């Protein structure tokens, strides 16, 4: 029952976000109100705020995050965190439909075009260091506070930010992800072996 409830919530959240994106595209971000988004999604304003605290959050919310986390955790245990992340990115390209990728590309372009949304996205990227460190800690048996773990997480976020400019020229999101995947070659020299590995002795 809880699984069904979560799927229904995810579907409602996705619907609200999709209608918000359509309205932002048709009439502008600043010109669109929460009330209009709620009406288009056929929910009450109160329901809207249960899913999104602000209008900004309809754009900042990234539906790819749970998918990427699941794919990362599903990689073979022997993979280095960088390779596990790259494998997760490649698999994500096959999991989502063309329509879903188009919607996500549109969301990212809107983030790039609205200054306050870019600021929120940068805050979100910085917060991603904690998330990535936690995932790497799970894979390596190290602490999420381990300096090497956090350095790796920060480097990953750095790669994401360094390649983010490709969205500014309207590159489709799958193309951007492939570029980011290639950029992870630069992390190949960052050692992050499992705790207690002989290579560390």
């Amino acid at each position: 029952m809880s699984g069904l409830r979560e799927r229904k919530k995810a579907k409602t959240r996705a619907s609200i976000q999709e209608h918000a994106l359509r309205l932002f595209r048709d009439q502008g971000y600043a010109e669109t109100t929460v009330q209009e988004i709620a009406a288009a999604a056929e929910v009450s304003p109160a329901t809207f705020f249960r899913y999104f605290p602000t209008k900004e959050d309809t754009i900042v919310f990234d539906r790819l995050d749970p998918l990427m986390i699941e794919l990362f955790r599903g990689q073979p245990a022997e993979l280095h965190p960088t390779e596990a992340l790259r494998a997760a990115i490649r698999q994500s390209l096959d999991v989502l439909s063309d329509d879903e990728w188009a919607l996500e590309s549109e969301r990212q372009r809107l983030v790039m075009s609205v200054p306050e949304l870019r600021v929120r996205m940068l805050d979100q990227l910085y917060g991603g260091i904690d998330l990535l460190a936690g995932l790497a800690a799970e894979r390596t048996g190290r602490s999420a506070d381990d300096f090497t773990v956090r350095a790796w997480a920060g480097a990953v976020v750095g790669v994401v930010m360094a390649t983010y400019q490709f969205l500014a020229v309207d590159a489709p999101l799958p193309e951007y992800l492939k570029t980011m995947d290639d950029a992870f070659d630069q992390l190949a020299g960052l050692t992050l072996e499992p705790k207690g590995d002989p290579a560390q002795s």
Side-chain angles (χ1 to χ4, degrees):
M1 183 63 71
S2 61
L4 177 61
R5 187 180 301 114
E6 288 304 314
R7 286 195 296 273
K8 289 179 66 175
K9 288 173 62 177
K11 185 176 180 180
T12 300
R13 184 179 289 108
S15 174
I16 293 171
Q17 187 181 55
E18 289 169 14
H19 283 288
L21 282 167
R22 178 181 57 78
L23 288 170
F24 296 154
R25 181 185 63 239
D26 292 346
Q27 60 190 41
Y29 174 78
E31 291 74 19
T32 301
T33 67
V34 167
Q35 287 72 21
E36 288 173 321
I37 297 170
E42 298 183 342
V43 299
S44 68
T47 297
F48 173 96
F49 287 118
R50 281 203 299 271
Y51 287 92
F52 297 103
T54 68
K55 183 173 74 170
E56 285 183 5
D57 288 298
T58 63
I59 303 304
V60 176
F61 174 69
D62 190 342
R63 285 189 287 171
L64 283 181
D65 281 349
L67 171 64
M68 296 301 296
I69 291 170
E70 179 181 354
L71 291 174
F72 180 89
R73 285 176 168 155
Q75 300 308 313
E78 65 271 15
L79 287 186
H80 183 283
T82 300
E83 291 309 314
L85 184 58
R86 296 182 73 175
I89 290 172
R90 293 172 194 139
Q91 289 179 12
S92 75
L93 296 173
D94 297 325
V95 170
L96 297 183
S97 68
D98 290 343
D99 287 344
E100 288 173 311
W101 279 121
L103 184 70
E104 184 61 18
S105 295
E106 184 175 357
R107 185 184 75 84
Q108 295 282 4
R109 287 194 295 270
L110 184 59
V111 168
M112 293 294 290
S113 67
V114 179
E116 59 263 39
L117 295 179
R118 286 203 303 271
V119 171
R120 284 287 306 275
M121 182 61 72
L122 288 173
D123 286 343
Q124 194 174 48
L125 284 171
Y126 186 77
I129 293 176
D130 290 334
L131 172 62
L132 287 163
L135 291 171
E138 291 176 8
R139 180 161 289 270
T140 62
R142 292 169 176 257
S143 167
D145 294 327
D146 183 295
F147 181 76
T148 305
V149 170
R150 293 194 67 79
W152 174 83
V156 170
V157 170
V159 168
V160 173
M161 294 179 70
T163 54
Y164 205 73
Q165 61 180 312
F166 286 90
L167 291 176
V169 294
D170 208 26
L173 192 60
E175 181 180 327
Y176 162 68
L177 288 177
K178 289 176 182 176
T179 302
M180 186 169 66
D181 177 25
D182 292 340
F184 282 130
D185 282 334
Q186 306 305 313
L187 300 186
L190 184 60
T191 301
L192 187 56
E193 301 297 339
K195 187 176 181 180
D197 189 279
Q200 297 294 306
S201 59

